[in-house]
Amino acid sequence: MDIEFVRSRFIKHFDGQTGNIYAAPGRINLIGEHTDYNGGFVFPGAIDKGIMCEVRPNGTDTVMAYAIDLKDRVEFKVNDPEGPRTSWARYIYGIIQEMKKRGVDVKGFNIAFAGDVPLGAGMSSSAAMESCFAFALNDLFGENKVSKWDMVLAGQATEHNYCGVNCGIMDQFASIFGKEGKLMRLDCRSREFEYYPFEPKGYKLVLLDSVVKHELASSAYNDRRKSCENVVEALKNRYTDRTIETLRDANWDMLESVKADVSEEDIKRATYVLGEKDRVLAVCAALIAGDYETVGQKMYETHDGLSKDYEVSCEELDFLVDIARRDGVTGSRIMGGGFGGCTINLVKEELYDKFINDATTEYKEKFNKQPKVYNVVISDGAHKVC
């Protein structure tokens, strides 16, 4: 992101004075999809695309905010019980309220922000905004009073309470806790996490955005979550002497024992979830060993599970993964909930140009759409720039 560009817009749209500049990244998730609500693990990392803001207290009780990319300005009172209606300003307002709940005495300020994390591509631009604003307010008004986890939870609560999105914690977690050259295995149940090395020399990490979003995604998500819950209920009924909260607590023998108690569809969903649990652990070992070929193999296995057992893929995403397989790409899979969005691809540098050319050309020929290409590098989480 361009620091001087953000600063020039801040100076122009306010009183000519400068403030502090902060940045927070979007994220990718290497492996671990549809595992969060099953009590499992996710494996995100912060990326080199995100949100940058310049902020300066203005000595009043008013927030004056300018969205550089949208060329839009909004003003509101810090203590306004309703807050602004403009959707992007709700993120600033929500973070203010949530940080105040956590003891940060937020006053009025001027803010201008811009971003280069692509909207709607599954890289969590909204979490990057929340993390950037939370870090800035904690630095300016809280004297670093609250913890990183407080900032994560403030971002999640902003989505829940002010933006109408009932999200998990992975996106905000990755944006706050990210480290250059590290992925993080986050336990969605306990919130414990570990850093794992991710410095694949001779490989590139690239996202291919299918520019597709299917309308059935919301209802289909709920159906799959219900399938997982059905299996958990069957397990609870059979294993009364054990504590079973989610599919995280099941194993393959247990799943086999309840096949007659639930539908074939429910078993397929649970089969994917248990397989994904095993794959995440295999990727942990592979990353420690620097074995990126195994990482890639597990990515393909995840895609196959998401496509065939969980059935959240679509023709466009399967097409992109098939091209990756044919071209010898090390690993490729759906990233995100499915039914559209991106594939994430681990590609050897010598194969990169051919793969990108093949994927973009053949995809456009078949679907009459041009996929978007995003190269990403694992980078640091939210921080003060200057």
Side-chain angles (χ1 to χ4, degrees):
M1 287 178 286
D2 189 336
I3 297 172
E4 293 307 316
F5 174 67
V6 172
R7 172 144 285 172
S8 70
R9 299 302 91 187
F10 184 85
I11 290 171
K12 176 180 177 180
H13 288 277
F14 296 111
D15 54 11
Q17 299 184 56
T18 60
N20 294 343
I21 293 180
Y22 304 87
R27 65 103 185 106
I28 55 94
N29 186 34
L30 185 71
I31 199 164
E33 297 292 0
H34 291 278
T35 53
D36 51 353
Y37 54 85
N38 285 300
F41 298 94
V42 290
F43 226 121
I47 59 172
D48 58 338
K49 294 174 174 57
I51 299 293
M52 181 176 287
C53 71
E54 183 156 7
V55 189
R56 186 172 62 82
N58 59 27
T60 73
D61 63 352
T62 299
V63 174
M64 291 181 277
Y66 183 66
I68 297 170
D69 299 327
L70 300 174
K71 298 181 180 178
D72 191 19
R73 180 168 175 149
V74 171
E75 296 185 10
F76 58 89
K77 300 292 186 183
V78 169
N79 295 317
D80 184 337
E82 300 296 329
R85 294 185 178 180
T86 305
S87 59
W88 62 262
R90 297 291 295 172
Y91 291 99
I92 301 175
Y93 175 78
I95 283 292
I96 291 170
Q97 307 314 312
E98 293 300 327
M99 294 295 280
K100 285 172 63 179
K101 290 177 187 177
R102 290 159 175 79
V104 178
D105 187 20
V106 182
K107 305 295 186 184
F109 57 88
N110 302 340
I111 181 171
F113 69 95
D116 61 358
V117 60
L119 299 177
M123 288 180 256
S124 301
S125 55
S126 61
M129 289 173 62
E130 293 148 7
S131 301
C132 188
F133 303 152
F135 196 96
L137 296 184
N138 189 41
D139 183 57
L140 289 170
F141 298 105
E143 297 178 348
N144 295 310
K145 184 174 184 178
V146 304
S147 70
K148 285 187 173 183
W149 267 116
D150 285 323
M151 288 186 271
V152 169
L153 295 174
Q156 182 190 34
T158 294
E159 296 274 8
H160 290 185
N161 299 331
Y162 307 95
C163 304
V165 178
N166 189 26
C167 65
I169 61 169
M170 177 178 71
D171 298 348
Q172 293 82 3
F173 164 79
S175 190
I176 291 288
F177 281 95
K179 283 187 179 180
E180 181 180 357
K182 304 284 186 181
L183 296 177
M184 298 164 285
R185 188 186 73 182
L186 171 65
D187 185 330
C188 293
R189 174 181 290 176
S190 68
R191 295 181 186 161
E192 295 175 335
F193 68 95
E194 294 180 66
Y195 289 101
Y196 284 81
F198 188 78
E199 295 179 319
K201 306 298 184 187
Y203 297 84
K204 289 187 176 182
L205 198 59
V206 59
L207 307 185
L208 291 181
D209 186 352
S210 68
V211 297
V212 168
K213 194 67 179 175
H214 288 275
E215 292 301 320
L216 74 155
S218 179
S219 61
Y221 172 90
N222 292 335
D223 290 344
R224 280 145 185 79
R225 187 162 185 162
K226 184 64 168 63
S227 279
C228 295
E229 291 167 354
N230 291 342
V231 176
V232 169
E233 283 304 308
L235 290 167
K236 286 180 177 179
N237 291 335
R238 183 169 291 268
Y239 296 94
T240 56
D241 59 332
R242 303 190 189 188
T243 300
I244 300 172
E245 297 177 352
T246 66
L247 286 175
R248 163 83 171 272
D249 302 310
N251 60 40
W252 292 108
D253 289 339
M254 293 167 68
L255 181 61
E256 182 69 26
S257 73
V258 297
K259 274 190 172 180
D261 303 327
V262 295
S263 71
E264 182 180 345
E265 181 177 89
D266 291 346
I267 290 296
K268 286 176 67 176
R269 308 308 186 225
T271 295
Y272 163 74
V273 173
L274 265 62
E276 190 73 343
K277 181 169 67 172
D278 292 345
R279 285 186 288 272
V280 168
L281 297 177
V283 165
C284 293
L287 287 174
I288 291 172
D291 178 6
Y292 291 97
E293 293 302 306
T294 294
V295 171
Q297 175 190 335
K298 297 303 172 184
M299 291 169 69
Y300 279 120
E301 289 176 11
T302 290
H303 181 83
D304 291 341
L306 288 168
S307 181
K308 296 178 175 63
D309 289 330
Y310 225 63
E311 297 181 286
V312 294
S313 190
C314 60
E315 183 183 5
E316 295 90 345
L317 291 167
D318 287 343
F319 184 82
L320 289 171
V321 172
D322 286 344
I323 292 174
R325 276 196 175 99
R326 186 200 69 200
D327 281 6
V329 170
T330 300
S332 180
R333 70 170 190 88
I334 305 167
M335 188 183 77
F339 306 106
C342 288
T343 63
I344 179 170
N345 304 271
L346 184 62
V347 191
K348 288 183 177 177
E349 290 180 350
E350 62 265 29
L351 299 177
Y352 176 84
D353 289 341
K354 182 179 187 306
F355 168 58
I356 295 302
N357 180 69
D358 288 351
T360 53
T361 301
E362 294 177 34
Y363 188 86
K364 186 173 183 181
E365 288 174 355
K366 184 169 180 62
F367 298 108
N368 199 30
K369 295 182 179 73
Q370 186 69 49
K372 297 177 181 177
V373 179
Y374 302 114
N375 293 296
V376 295
V377 176
I378 303 304
S379 301
D380 285 328
H383 60 282
K384 183 177 179 179
V385 177
C386 61

